[in-house]
């Protein structure tokens, strides 16, 4: 009887481990299947854990965006490197997918808070979208975000920046939004914090007031 007890314990432990593994596989394949319904999954990620929690861990990682010297954004017909727009500055980077929420609420919210943001140490608010540079320049003029304003609009014409952040939707040629709605704090080119809305039409965590609160958390002396 005494010799069989350890064997029973090992058997129970083995069954528990197997059950745990089975649950993990079910969760993994369920997440993969859900993603497949949304679109094709790259071969390298077929057996990866694609649950939202795991996938979004990368959103919190600090990285120097200016290391990608090949990427460009456009201000009207002028091409700018990421170093041009980020180096030596504290920036709130705002990604907008286009549509009424962007032109009526999202960007105007930052324009309305421009003076407050400046007093807190924000050098620039850069609002970027995947669109033709001429159309973005026209929108900037319409919204009053041109001519040396603290809030500027830039075109990510080739989707380079949004792909770097992993926030593209579809392709440049596809219909509908080309990127998620997001906002980030970037200092001297280094991405410090990134917030992404659950859906492109949402405006809950990337609006100006929310980013002001986030800025205070990162820079506690900003309002001193």
């Amino acid at each position: 009887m005494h010799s069989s007890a350890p064997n029973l314990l090992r058997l129970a432990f083995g069954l528990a481990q197997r059950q745990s593994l089975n649950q993990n596989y079910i969760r993994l394949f369920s997440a993969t299947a859900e993603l497949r319904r949304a679109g094709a999954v790259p071969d390298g990620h077929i057996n990866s854990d694609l649950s939202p929690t795991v996938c979004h861990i990368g959103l919190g990682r600090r990285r120097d965006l200016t290391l990608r010297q090949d990427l460009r954004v456009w201000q009207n017909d002028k091409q700018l490197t990421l170093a041009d727009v980020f180096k030596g500055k504290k920036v709130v980077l705002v990604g907008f997918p286009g549509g009424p929420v962007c032109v009526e609420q999202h960007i105007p919210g930052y324009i309305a808070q421009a003076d407050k943001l400046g007093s807190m140490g924000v050098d620039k608010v850069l609002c970027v979208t995947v669109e033709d540079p001429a159309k973005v320049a026209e929108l900037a003029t319409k919204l009053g975000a041109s001519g040396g304003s603290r809030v500027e609009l830039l075109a990510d014409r080739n989707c380079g920046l949004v792909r770097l952040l992993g926030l593209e939707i579809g392709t440049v040629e596809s219909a509908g939004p080309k990127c998620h709605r997001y906002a980030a704090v970037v200092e001297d080119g280094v991405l410090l914090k990134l917030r992404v809305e659950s859906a492109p039409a949402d405006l809950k965590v990337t609006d100006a007031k929310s980013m002001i609160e986030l800025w205070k958390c990162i820079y506690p002396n900003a309002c001193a």
Side-chain angles (χ1 to χ4, degrees), residues 27-187:
R27 179 171 59 86
L28 186 154
F29 290 128
S30 174
T32 305
E34 193 172 325
L35 208 68
R36 279 186 181 284
R37 285 195 292 272
V41 178
D43 290 343
H45 294 287
I46 293 295
N47 295 317
S48 299
D49 187 343
L50 299 174
S51 60
T53 302
V54 172
C55 288
H56 288 138
I57 286 175
L59 298 182
R61 292 178 181 165
R62 294 190 177 196
R63 48 183 166 159
D64 189 345
L65 303 178
T66 65
L67 294 177
R68 287 296 303 270
Q69 299 176 24
D70 58 314
L71 298 183
R72 299 289 185 273
V73 290
W74 278 258
Q75 190 168 41
N76 206 340
D77 58 351
K78 184 180 179 182
Q79 293 188 41
L80 302 169
T81 66
L82 298 188
D84 291 332
V85 296
F86 292 128
K87 272 298 182 184
K89 304 182 188 78
K90 290 181 178 178
V91 173
V92 175
L93 172 65
V94 181
F96 64 99
V101 174
C102 305
V103 299
E104 295 172 9
Q105 300 177 53
H106 202 189
I107 300 170
Y110 281 97
I111 294 172
Q113 297 290 340
D115 290 341
K116 182 175 180 63
L117 288 161
S119 70
M120 296 173 65
V122 178
D123 294 308
K124 283 289 181 183
V125 176
L126 300 178
C127 301
V128 185
T129 190
V130 180
E131 186 55 273
D132 178 73
K135 291 182 179 179
V136 176
E138 183 180 343
L139 177 61
T141 302
K142 179 181 176 182
L143 295 175
S146 58
S149 168
R150 189 177 302 278
V151 180
E152 295 182 358
L153 270 63
L154 301 175
D156 183 16
R157 189 175 73 179
N158 298 327
C159 252
L161 176 58
V162 75
R163 282 189 186 128
L164 175 62
L165 298 173
L167 297 173
E168 74 275 18
I169 300 175
T171 65
V172 177
E173 296 79 18
S174 61
K178 308 295 191 302
C179 69
H180 289 276
R181 188 183 305 280
Y182 63 90
V185 175
V186 182
E187 181 177 352

Side-chain angles (χ1 to χ4, degrees), residues 4-14:
S4 64
N7 292 332
L8 289 173
L9 286 173
R10 281 195 292 271
L11 179 61
F13 181 71

